CSV table of all heavy atoms in Angstrom, one decimal:
chain,number,residue,atom,x,y,z
A,1,MET,N,20.4,-166.2,51.7
A,1,MET,CA,19.5,-167.3,51.4
A,1,MET,C,19.6,-167.6,49.9
A,1,MET,O,19.6,-166.7,49.1
A,1,MET,CB,18.1,-167.0,51.8
A,1,MET,CG,17.2,-168.1,51.7
A,1,MET,SD,15.4,-167.7,52.0
A,1,MET,CE,15.4,-167.6,53.8
A,2,ASN,N,19.5,-168.8,49.5
A,2,ASN,CA,19.4,-169.3,48.1
A,2,ASN,C,18.3,-168.6,47.5
A,2,ASN,O,17.1,-168.6,48.0
A,2,ASN,CB,19.3,-170.8,48.1
A,2,ASN,CG,19.2,-171.3,46.7
A,2,ASN,OD1,18.5,-170.9,45.9
A,2,ASN,ND2,20.1,-172.3,46.5
A,3,SER,N,18.5,-168.0,46.3
A,3,SER,CA,17.5,-167.1,45.7
A,3,SER,C,16.4,-168.0,45.2
A,3,SER,O,15.2,-167.5,45.1
A,3,SER,CB,18.1,-166.3,44.6
A,3,SER,OG,18.5,-167.1,43.6
A,4,GLU,N,16.7,-169.2,44.8
A,4,GLU,CA,15.6,-170.1,44.3
A,4,GLU,C,14.6,-170.5,45.4
A,4,GLU,O,13.4,-170.5,45.2
A,4,GLU,CB,16.2,-171.4,43.7
A,4,GLU,CG,15.2,-172.1,42.8
A,4,GLU,CD,15.8,-173.3,42.1
A,4,GLU,OE1,17.0,-173.1,41.7
A,4,GLU,OE2,15.2,-174.4,42.0
A,5,ILE,N,15.2,-170.8,46.6
A,5,ILE,CA,14.4,-171.1,47.7
A,5,ILE,C,13.5,-169.9,48.1
A,5,ILE,O,12.4,-170.0,48.4
A,5,ILE,CB,15.3,-171.5,48.9
A,5,ILE,CG1,15.9,-172.9,48.6
A,5,ILE,CG2,14.4,-171.6,50.2
A,5,ILE,CD1,16.9,-173.3,49.6
A,6,LYS,N,14.2,-168.7,48.1
A,6,LYS,CA,13.4,-167.5,48.4
A,6,LYS,C,12.3,-167.3,47.5
A,6,LYS,O,11.2,-166.9,47.9
A,6,LYS,CB,14.4,-166.3,48.4
A,6,LYS,CG,13.8,-165.0,49.0
A,6,LYS,CD,14.8,-164.0,49.3
A,6,LYS,CE,14.1,-162.9,50.2
A,6,LYS,NZ,14.2,-161.6,49.6
A,7,ALA,N,12.5,-167.5,46.2
A,7,ALA,CA,11.4,-167.4,45.2
A,7,ALA,C,10.3,-168.3,45.5
A,7,ALA,O,9.1,-168.0,45.4
A,7,ALA,CB,11.9,-167.6,43.8
A,8,GLN,N,10.6,-169.5,45.9
A,8,GLN,CA,9.6,-170.5,46.2
A,8,GLN,C,8.8,-170.1,47.5
A,8,GLN,O,7.6,-170.3,47.6
A,8,GLN,CB,10.2,-171.9,46.4
A,8,GLN,CG,10.6,-172.5,45.1
A,8,GLN,CD,11.1,-173.9,45.2
A,8,GLN,OE1,11.2,-174.4,46.3
A,8,GLN,NE2,11.6,-174.5,44.1
A,9,LEU,N,9.5,-169.6,48.5
A,9,LEU,CA,8.9,-169.2,49.7
A,9,LEU,C,7.9,-168.0,49.4
A,9,LEU,O,6.8,-167.9,50.0
A,9,LEU,CB,9.9,-168.7,50.7
A,9,LEU,CG,10.6,-169.8,51.5
A,9,LEU,CD1,11.7,-169.2,52.4
A,9,LEU,CD2,9.6,-170.6,52.3
A,10,GLU,N,8.4,-167.1,48.5
A,10,GLU,CA,7.5,-166.0,48.1
A,10,GLU,C,6.3,-166.5,47.5
A,10,GLU,O,5.2,-165.9,47.8
A,10,GLU,CB,8.3,-165.1,47.2
A,10,GLU,CG,7.8,-163.7,47.2
A,10,GLU,CD,8.9,-162.8,46.5
A,10,GLU,OE1,9.9,-162.5,47.2
A,10,GLU,OE2,8.6,-162.3,45.4
A,11,LYS,N,6.4,-167.5,46.6
A,11,LYS,CA,5.2,-168.0,45.9
A,11,LYS,C,4.3,-168.6,47.0
A,11,LYS,O,3.1,-168.4,46.9
A,11,LYS,CB,5.6,-169.1,45.0
A,11,LYS,CG,5.4,-168.8,43.5
A,11,LYS,CD,5.7,-169.9,42.6
A,11,LYS,CE,6.8,-169.6,41.7
A,11,LYS,NZ,7.3,-170.8,40.9
A,12,LEU,N,4.8,-169.3,47.9
A,12,LEU,CA,4.0,-170.0,49.0
A,12,LEU,C,3.3,-168.9,49.8
A,12,LEU,O,2.2,-169.0,50.2
A,12,LEU,CB,4.9,-170.8,49.9
A,12,LEU,CG,4.2,-171.6,51.0
A,12,LEU,CD1,3.4,-172.7,50.3
A,12,LEU,CD2,5.2,-172.3,51.9
A,13,ALA,N,4.0,-167.8,50.1
A,13,ALA,CA,3.5,-166.7,50.9
A,13,ALA,C,2.3,-166.1,50.2
A,13,ALA,O,1.3,-165.8,50.8
A,13,ALA,CB,4.5,-165.7,51.1
A,14,PHE,N,2.4,-166.0,48.9
A,14,PHE,CA,1.2,-165.5,48.1
A,14,PHE,C,0.1,-166.4,48.1
A,14,PHE,O,-1.1,-166.0,48.1
A,14,PHE,CB,1.7,-165.1,46.7
A,14,PHE,CG,2.1,-163.7,46.5
A,14,PHE,CD1,3.4,-163.3,46.5
A,14,PHE,CD2,1.1,-162.7,46.4
A,14,PHE,CE1,3.8,-162.0,46.4
A,14,PHE,CE2,1.5,-161.4,46.3
A,14,PHE,CZ,2.8,-161.0,46.3
A,15,LYS,N,0.4,-167.7,48.0
A,15,LYS,CA,-0.6,-168.7,48.0
A,15,LYS,C,-1.4,-168.8,49.3
A,15,LYS,O,-2.6,-169.0,49.3
A,15,LYS,CB,0.0,-170.1,47.8
A,15,LYS,CG,-0.6,-171.0,46.7
A,15,LYS,CD,0.2,-172.2,46.5
A,15,LYS,CE,-0.3,-173.2,45.6
A,15,LYS,NZ,0.7,-174.3,45.5
A,16,ARG,N,-0.7,-168.6,50.4
A,16,ARG,CA,-1.3,-168.8,51.7
A,16,ARG,C,-1.9,-167.5,52.2
A,16,ARG,O,-2.6,-167.5,53.2
A,16,ARG,CB,-0.2,-169.3,52.7
A,16,ARG,CG,0.2,-170.7,52.5
A,16,ARG,CD,1.0,-171.2,53.6
A,16,ARG,NE,0.5,-170.9,54.9
A,16,ARG,CZ,1.1,-171.0,56.1
A,16,ARG,NH1,2.4,-171.4,56.1
A,16,ARG,NH2,0.5,-170.7,57.2
A,17,SER,N,-1.6,-166.4,51.6
A,17,SER,CA,-2.2,-165.1,52.1
A,17,SER,C,-3.2,-164.6,51.1
A,17,SER,O,-3.3,-165.0,50.0
A,17,SER,CB,-1.0,-164.1,52.3
A,17,SER,OG,-0.4,-163.9,51.1
A,18,LYS,N,-4.0,-163.6,51.7
A,18,LYS,CA,-5.0,-163.0,50.9
A,18,LYS,C,-4.7,-161.5,50.9
A,18,LYS,O,-4.3,-161.0,51.9
A,18,LYS,CB,-6.4,-163.2,51.5
A,18,LYS,CG,-6.8,-164.7,51.5
A,18,LYS,CD,-8.1,-164.8,52.3
A,18,LYS,CE,-8.4,-166.3,52.4
A,18,LYS,NZ,-9.5,-166.5,53.4
A,19,PRO,N,-5.0,-160.8,49.8
A,19,PRO,CA,-4.9,-159.4,49.8
A,19,PRO,C,-5.9,-158.8,50.8
A,19,PRO,O,-7.0,-159.3,50.9
A,19,PRO,CB,-5.2,-159.0,48.4
A,19,PRO,CG,-5.8,-160.2,47.7
A,19,PRO,CD,-5.5,-161.4,48.5
A,20,PHE,N,-5.5,-157.8,51.5
A,20,PHE,CA,-6.2,-157.2,52.6
A,20,PHE,C,-6.1,-155.7,52.6
A,20,PHE,O,-5.0,-155.2,52.6
A,20,PHE,CB,-5.7,-157.9,53.9
A,20,PHE,CG,-6.4,-157.5,55.1
A,20,PHE,CD1,-7.6,-158.1,55.5
A,20,PHE,CD2,-5.9,-156.5,56.0
A,20,PHE,CE1,-8.3,-157.7,56.7
A,20,PHE,CE2,-6.6,-156.1,57.1
A,20,PHE,CZ,-7.7,-156.8,57.5
A,21,CYS,N,-7.2,-155.0,52.6
A,21,CYS,CA,-7.1,-153.6,52.7
A,21,CYS,C,-7.1,-153.2,54.2
A,21,CYS,O,-8.1,-153.4,54.9
A,21,CYS,CB,-8.3,-152.9,52.0
A,21,CYS,SG,-8.3,-151.1,52.1
A,22,TYR,N,-6.1,-152.6,54.7
A,22,TYR,CA,-5.9,-152.2,56.1
A,22,TYR,C,-6.9,-151.1,56.4
A,22,TYR,O,-7.4,-151.0,57.5
A,22,TYR,CB,-4.5,-151.9,56.4
A,22,TYR,CG,-4.2,-151.9,57.9
A,22,TYR,CD1,-4.2,-153.2,58.6
A,22,TYR,CD2,-4.1,-150.8,58.6
A,22,TYR,CE1,-3.9,-153.2,59.9
A,22,TYR,CE2,-3.8,-150.8,60.0
A,22,TYR,CZ,-3.8,-152.0,60.6
A,22,TYR,OH,-3.6,-152.0,62.0
A,23,SER,N,-7.1,-150.2,55.5
A,23,SER,CA,-7.9,-149.0,55.8
A,23,SER,C,-9.4,-149.4,56.0
A,23,SER,O,-10.1,-148.8,56.8
A,23,SER,CB,-7.7,-147.9,54.8
A,23,SER,OG,-7.0,-148.3,53.7
A,24,CYS,N,-9.8,-150.3,55.2
A,24,CYS,CA,-11.2,-150.8,55.3
A,24,CYS,C,-11.3,-152.0,56.2
A,24,CYS,O,-12.4,-152.4,56.6
A,24,CYS,CB,-11.8,-151.1,54.0
A,24,CYS,SG,-11.7,-149.8,52.8
A,25,TYR,N,-10.2,-152.6,56.6
A,25,TYR,CA,-10.1,-153.8,57.3
A,25,TYR,C,-11.0,-154.9,56.7
A,25,TYR,O,-11.9,-155.5,57.3
A,25,TYR,CB,-10.5,-153.6,58.8
A,25,TYR,CG,-9.6,-154.3,59.7
A,25,TYR,CD1,-8.4,-153.8,60.0
A,25,TYR,CD2,-9.9,-155.6,60.3
A,25,TYR,CE1,-7.5,-154.5,60.8
A,25,TYR,CE2,-9.0,-156.3,61.1
A,25,TYR,CZ,-7.8,-155.7,61.4
A,25,TYR,OH,-6.9,-156.4,62.2
A,26,GLU,N,-10.8,-155.1,55.4
A,26,GLU,CA,-11.6,-156.0,54.6
A,26,GLU,C,-10.6,-156.8,53.7
A,26,GLU,O,-9.7,-156.3,53.2
A,26,GLU,CB,-12.5,-155.3,53.6
A,26,GLU,CG,-13.7,-154.6,54.3
A,26,GLU,CD,-14.9,-155.4,54.3
A,26,GLU,OE1,-15.0,-156.5,53.7
A,26,GLU,OE2,-15.9,-155.0,55.0
A,27,GLU,N,-11.0,-158.1,53.6
A,27,GLU,CA,-10.3,-158.9,52.6
A,27,GLU,C,-10.7,-158.5,51.2
A,27,GLU,O,-11.9,-158.1,51.0
A,27,GLU,CB,-10.6,-160.4,52.8
A,27,GLU,CG,-9.9,-161.0,54.0
A,27,GLU,CD,-10.3,-162.5,54.1
A,27,GLU,OE1,-10.7,-163.1,53.1
A,27,GLU,OE2,-10.2,-163.0,55.3
A,28,THR,N,-9.8,-158.5,50.3
A,28,THR,CA,-10.2,-158.1,48.9
A,28,THR,C,-9.9,-159.3,48.0
A,28,THR,O,-8.8,-159.7,47.9
A,28,THR,CB,-9.4,-156.9,48.5
A,28,THR,OG1,-8.0,-157.2,48.4
A,28,THR,CG2,-9.6,-155.7,49.4
A,29,ALA,N,-11.0,-159.7,47.4
A,29,ALA,CA,-10.8,-160.9,46.5
A,29,ALA,C,-10.0,-160.5,45.2
A,29,ALA,O,-9.3,-161.3,44.7
A,29,ALA,CB,-12.2,-161.4,46.1
A,30,THR,N,-10.2,-159.3,44.8
A,30,THR,CA,-9.4,-158.9,43.6
A,30,THR,C,-8.2,-158.1,44.0
A,30,THR,O,-7.9,-157.9,45.2
A,30,THR,CB,-10.3,-157.9,42.8
A,30,THR,OG1,-10.7,-156.8,43.6
A,30,THR,CG2,-11.6,-158.7,42.3
A,31,GLY,N,-7.4,-157.6,43.1
A,31,GLY,CA,-6.2,-157.0,43.3
A,31,GLY,C,-6.3,-155.6,44.0
A,31,GLY,O,-5.4,-155.0,44.5
A,32,CYS,N,-7.5,-155.0,43.9
A,32,CYS,CA,-7.7,-153.7,44.6
A,32,CYS,C,-9.0,-153.7,45.4
A,32,CYS,O,-9.9,-154.4,45.1
A,32,CYS,CB,-7.6,-152.6,43.6
A,32,CYS,SG,-9.1,-152.4,42.5
A,33,CYS,N,-9.0,-152.9,46.4
A,33,CYS,CA,-10.2,-152.8,47.3
A,33,CYS,C,-11.4,-152.4,46.6
A,33,CYS,O,-11.5,-151.4,45.9
A,33,CYS,CB,-9.8,-151.9,48.5
A,33,CYS,SG,-11.1,-151.8,49.7
A,34,GLN,N,-12.5,-153.1,46.9
A,34,GLN,CA,-13.8,-152.8,46.3
A,34,GLN,C,-14.5,-151.6,47.0
A,34,GLN,O,-15.4,-151.0,46.5
A,34,GLN,CB,-14.7,-154.0,46.3
A,34,GLN,CG,-14.3,-155.1,45.4
A,34,GLN,CD,-15.1,-156.4,45.5
A,34,GLN,OE1,-15.7,-156.6,46.6
A,34,GLN,NE2,-15.2,-157.2,44.5
A,35,HIS,N,-14.0,-151.4,48.2
A,35,HIS,CA,-14.6,-150.3,49.0
A,35,HIS,C,-14.0,-148.9,48.7
A,35,HIS,O,-14.6,-148.0,48.4
A,35,HIS,CB,-14.5,-150.6,50.5
A,35,HIS,CG,-15.2,-151.8,50.9
A,35,HIS,ND1,-16.6,-151.8,51.3
A,35,HIS,CD2,-14.9,-153.1,50.9
A,35,HIS,CE1,-17.0,-153.0,51.5
A,35,HIS,NE2,-15.9,-153.8,51.3
A,36,CYS,N,-12.6,-148.9,48.8
A,36,CYS,CA,-12.0,-147.6,48.6
A,36,CYS,C,-11.2,-147.5,47.3
A,36,CYS,O,-10.6,-146.5,47.0
A,36,CYS,CB,-11.1,-147.3,49.8
A,36,CYS,SG,-9.7,-148.4,50.0
A,37,GLY,N,-11.1,-148.7,46.6
A,37,GLY,CA,-10.4,-148.7,45.3
A,37,GLY,C,-8.9,-148.7,45.5
A,37,GLY,O,-8.2,-148.6,44.5
A,38,SER,N,-8.4,-148.8,46.7
A,38,SER,CA,-6.9,-148.8,46.9
A,38,SER,C,-6.3,-150.1,46.4
A,38,SER,O,-6.9,-151.2,46.6
A,38,SER,CB,-6.6,-148.6,48.4
A,38,SER,OG,-5.3,-148.9,48.7
A,39,ASP,N,-5.1,-150.0,45.8
A,39,ASP,CA,-4.4,-151.2,45.5
A,39,ASP,C,-3.2,-151.3,46.4
A,39,ASP,O,-2.3,-152.2,46.1
A,39,ASP,CB,-4.1,-151.3,44.0
A,39,ASP,CG,-3.1,-150.1,43.6
A,39,ASP,OD1,-2.9,-149.3,44.4
A,39,ASP,OD2,-2.7,-150.1,42.4
A,40,ASP,N,-3.1,-150.5,47.4
A,40,ASP,CA,-2.0,-150.6,48.4
A,40,ASP,C,-2.4,-151.6,49.5
A,40,ASP,O,-2.8,-151.2,50.6
A,40,ASP,CB,-1.7,-149.2,48.9
A,40,ASP,CG,-0.5,-149.2,49.9
A,40,ASP,OD1,0.3,-150.1,49.7
A,40,ASP,OD2,-0.5,-148.3,50.7
A,41,LEU,N,-2.4,-152.9,49.1
A,41,LEU,CA,-2.9,-153.9,50.0
A,41,LEU,C,-1.9,-154.6,50.8
A,41,LEU,O,-0.7,-154.7,50.4
A,41,LEU,CB,-3.8,-154.9,49.2
A,41,LEU,CG,-4.8,-154.2,48.3
A,41,LEU,CD1,-5.5,-155.3,47.4
A,41,LEU,CD2,-5.9,-153.6,49.2
A,42,MET,N,-2.3,-155.1,51.9
A,42,MET,CA,-1.4,-156.0,52.7
A,42,MET,C,-1.7,-157.4,52.4
A,42,MET,O,-2.7,-157.7,51.8
A,42,MET,CB,-1.6,-155.7,54.2
A,42,MET,CG,-1.4,-154.3,54.6
A,42,MET,SD,-1.6,-154.1,56.4
A,42,MET,CE,0.0,-154.5,57.0
A,43,ARG,N,-0.8,-158.3,52.8
A,43,ARG,CA,-1.1,-159.7,52.7
A,43,ARG,C,-1.6,-160.2,54.0
A,43,ARG,O,-0.9,-160.1,55.0
A,43,ARG,CB,0.2,-160.5,52.3
A,43,ARG,CG,0.9,-159.9,51.1
A,43,ARG,CD,0.2,-160.0,49.8
A,43,ARG,NE,-0.3,-161.3,49.5
A,43,ARG,CZ,-1.1,-161.6,48.4
A,43,ARG,NH1,-1.4,-160.6,47.6
A,43,ARG,NH2,-1.5,-162.8,48.2
A,44,LEU,N,-2.7,-160.8,54.0
A,44,LEU,CA,-3.3,-161.3,55.3
A,44,LEU,C,-3.1,-162.9,55.3
A,44,LEU,O,-3.5,-163.6,54.4
A,44,LEU,CB,-4.8,-161.0,55.4
A,44,LEU,CG,-5.5,-161.7,56.6
A,44,LEU,CD1,-5.1,-161.0,57.9
A,44,LEU,CD2,-7.0,-161.6,56.4
A,45,ILE,N,-2.4,-163.4,56.3
A,45,ILE,CA,-2.3,-164.8,56.5
A,45,ILE,C,-3.1,-165.2,57.7
A,45,ILE,O,-2.9,-164.7,58.8
A,45,ILE,CB,-0.8,-165.2,56.7
A,45,ILE,CG1,0.0,-164.7,55.5
A,45,ILE,CG2,-0.7,-166.7,56.9
A,45,ILE,CD1,1.5,-165.0,55.6
A,46,PRO,N,-4.1,-166.1,57.5
A,46,PRO,CA,-5.0,-166.4,58.6
A,46,PRO,C,-4.1,-167.0,59.8
A,46,PRO,O,-3.2,-167.7,59.6
A,46,PRO,CB,-5.8,-167.6,58.0
A,46,PRO,CG,-5.8,-167.3,56.6
A,46,PRO,CD,-4.5,-166.7,56.2
A,47,GLU,N,-4.5,-166.5,61.0
A,47,GLU,CA,-3.8,-166.9,62.2
A,47,GLU,C,-2.4,-166.4,62.4
A,47,GLU,O,-1.8,-166.6,63.4
A,47,GLU,CB,-3.8,-168.4,62.4
A,47,GLU,CG,-5.2,-169.0,62.7
A,47,GLU,CD,-5.3,-170.5,62.3
A,47,GLU,OE1,-4.3,-171.1,62.3
A,47,GLU,OE2,-6.4,-170.9,61.9
A,48,VAL,N,-1.9,-165.6,61.4
A,48,VAL,CA,-0.6,-165.1,61.5
A,48,VAL,C,-0.7,-163.5,61.6
A,48,VAL,O,-0.1,-162.9,62.4
A,48,VAL,CB,0.3,-165.4,60.4
A,48,VAL,CG1,1.7,-164.7,60.5
A,48,VAL,CG2,0.5,-166.9,60.4
A,49,GLY,N,-1.6,-163.0,60.8
A,49,GLY,CA,-1.8,-161.6,60.8
A,49,GLY,C,-1.5,-161.0,59.4
A,49,GLY,O,-1.4,-161.8,58.4
A,50,CYS,N,-1.4,-159.8,59.3
A,50,CYS,CA,-1.1,-159.2,57.9
A,50,CYS,C,0.1,-158.3,58.0
A,50,CYS,O,0.4,-157.7,58.9
A,50,CYS,CB,-2.3,-158.4,57.5
A,50,CYS,SG,-3.0,-157.2,58.6
A,51,GLU,N,0.8,-158.4,56.9
A,51,GLU,CA,2.1,-157.6,56.7
A,51,GLU,C,2.2,-157.1,55.3
A,51,GLU,O,1.6,-157.7,54.4
A,51,GLU,CB,3.3,-158.6,57.0
A,51,GLU,CG,3.4,-159.0,58.4
A,51,GLU,CD,3.8,-157.9,59.4
A,51,GLU,OE1,4.4,-156.9,58.9
A,51,GLU,OE2,3.6,-158.1,60.6
A,52,TYR,N,2.9,-156.1,55.1
A,52,TYR,CA,3.3,-155.7,53.8
A,52,TYR,C,4.4,-156.6,53.3
A,52,TYR,O,5.2,-157.1,54.1
A,52,TYR,CB,3.8,-154.2,53.7
A,52,TYR,CG,2.6,-153.2,53.7
A,52,TYR,CD1,2.4,-152.5,54.9
A,52,TYR,CD2,1.8,-153.1,52.6
A,52,TYR,CE1,1.3,-151.6,54.9
A,52,TYR,CE2,0.8,-152.2,52.6
A,52,TYR,CZ,0.5,-151.4,53.7
A,52,TYR,OH,-0.5,-150.5,53.7
A,53,GLY,N,4.3,-157.0,52.0
A,53,GLY,CA,5.4,-157.8,51.5
A,53,GLY,C,5.1,-159.3,51.8
A,53,GLY,O,4.1,-159.6,52.3
A,54,THR,N,6.1,-160.1,51.5
A,54,THR,CA,5.9,-161.5,51.7
A,54,THR,C,6.9,-162.2,52.6
A,54,THR,O,7.0,-163.4,52.7
A,54,THR,CB,6.0,-162.2,50.3
A,54,THR,OG1,7.3,-161.8,49.7
A,54,THR,CG2,4.9,-161.8,49.4
A,55,ASP,N,7.7,-161.4,53.3
A,55,ASP,CA,8.8,-162.0,54.1
A,55,ASP,C,8.2,-162.7,55.4
A,55,ASP,O,7.2,-162.3,55.9
A,55,ASP,CB,9.8,-160.9,54.6
A,55,ASP,CG,10.8,-160.6,53.5
A,55,ASP,OD1,10.9,-161.3,52.6
A,55,ASP,OD2,11.5,-159.6,53.7
B,1,ZN,ZN1,-10.3,-150.3,51.1
């Protein structure tokens, strides 16, 4: 895949998704979980689910 397109898709994925702590099952507004302090967060996309990474 064209790397420029991939970079744009990745940006879009970040825009459309929210950081999500899977262990607390909570959305996290900041870069790390306010409950457990973890920064190992998944990306949650409403109606799609959550995945690690942006693919
Ligand atoms: Zn947490």
